Amino acid sequence: MGNSRCLSELKSICKMVEMKIKNIQHYDIKGVYDLFTNGSISFSMEFEPCDLLDFTSIVDEWKKNGEVLLGEVKDNIVAACQVSRRKFRTKHSVHLSSFAVLSDCRHKGTDKRFLKKIVKRLKDDGAKRIDLTIGENDHSALSFFTENGFQVEGKLDQFFYCSHSGRYLGGYLMAAVFPDTTDGSGPYFQR
């Protein structure tokens, strides 16, 4: 079904309906493309414009480097995130990127539910550290991730290249670290 429901209906169901997390499938590409290109993204760098074919290549690259998780509400894609799992001595560490939530579902708990479900899934798989990078001027993302247990670990100069402006943009590295406990405690769950 993708994002075919009208946005006003999605606004109300995002608030009260359970979200399902799943791995992206080939038939989800168009819905994810719509999420990233229709101006509704959040907590992600401004997405470079591209056509569906180029976007499909981007998703293929994301999948080679990890997995793409989707948040669905009533069969509508409302959120997406790329997850890169590390190997060997850093296999406990996971990187999130391209975290996006449909703007009509933000500030209704959808963004927080999506992040919380991803964190739980990753912790259940053995993650002890989850990091991500946000743009230095993305105050909304900084606030959101800080409120949800992530801390700024450092500033990155000239980290993102923006083809629109032809400039490099700075960013912040943020992380949530979970102590080796079995009781579900840790920075994310102490809130």
Side-chain angles (χ1 to χ4, degrees):
M1 181 182 293
N3 287 335
S4 60
R5 291 186 192 251
C6 72
L7 290 179
S8 61
E9 185 179 343
L10 265 178
K11 284 181 187 181
S12 62
I13 65 174
C14 282
K15 199 172 192 177
M16 56 190 163
V17 176
E18 183 62 27
M19 179 186 298
K20 180 174 77 172
I21 301 295
K22 69 173 202 168
N23 285 57
I24 194 170
Q25 302 297 317
H26 69 280
Y27 53 80
D28 295 317
I29 295 289
K30 176 71 168 98
V32 177
Y33 176 75
D34 291 344
L35 176 71
F36 276 91
T37 59
N38 71 4
S40 298
I41 73 169
S42 59
F43 311 133
S44 179
M45 290 302 298
E46 180 181 324
F47 200 78
E48 299 285 336
C50 63
D51 61 24
L52 183 58
L53 185 61
D54 287 341
F55 184 77
T56 302
S57 296
I58 292 168
V59 171
D60 288 343
E61 182 181 332
W62 288 347
K63 289 171 27 181
K64 284 180 192 171
N65 294 321
E67 60 188 317
V68 180
L69 298 178
L70 304 180
E72 283 190 337
V73 174
K74 290 207 172 209
D75 296 325
N76 289 275
I77 298 169
V78 297
C81 181
Q82 197 268 338
V83 176
S84 298
R85 297 172 190 264
R86 297 186 174 107
K87 297 177 183 176
F88 308 112
R89 294 188 324 181
T90 58
K91 67 182 179 184
H92 64 283
S93 185
V94 179
H95 182 74
L96 302 183
S97 62
S98 301
F99 188 92
V101 177
L102 192 68
S103 62
D104 288 329
C105 293
R106 288 180 61 196
H107 310 297
K108 294 169 182 58
T110 302
D111 39 12
K112 186 171 184 166
R113 282 187 292 157
F114 184 54
L115 181 61
K116 192 170 187 173
K117 285 180 176 280
I118 290 171
V119 168
K120 181 178 181 341
R121 183 177 186 161
L122 296 174
K123 282 184 69 171
D124 288 350
D125 287 346
K128 304 289 183 225
R129 171 190 168 82
I130 301 172
D131 61 48
L132 53 91
T133 308
I134 63 168
E136 67 183 336
N137 295 322
D138 194 343
H139 305 292
S140 178
L142 180 62
S143 175
F144 174 77
F145 287 112
T146 300
E147 289 169 9
N148 286 286
F150 286 75
Q151 297 178 0
V152 173
E153 290 192 330
K155 184 169 183 326
L156 305 166
D157 293 323
Q158 297 188 20
F159 187 71
F160 297 102
Y161 178 74
C162 179
S163 65
H164 291 110
S165 66
R167 297 182 313 122
Y168 286 92
L169 308 173
Y172 291 110
L173 177 63
M174 299 185 76
V177 179
F178 311 102
D180 203 4
T181 63
T182 56
D183 64 356
S185 65
Y188 188 83
F189 293 99
Q190 290 177 353
R191 300 214 166 263

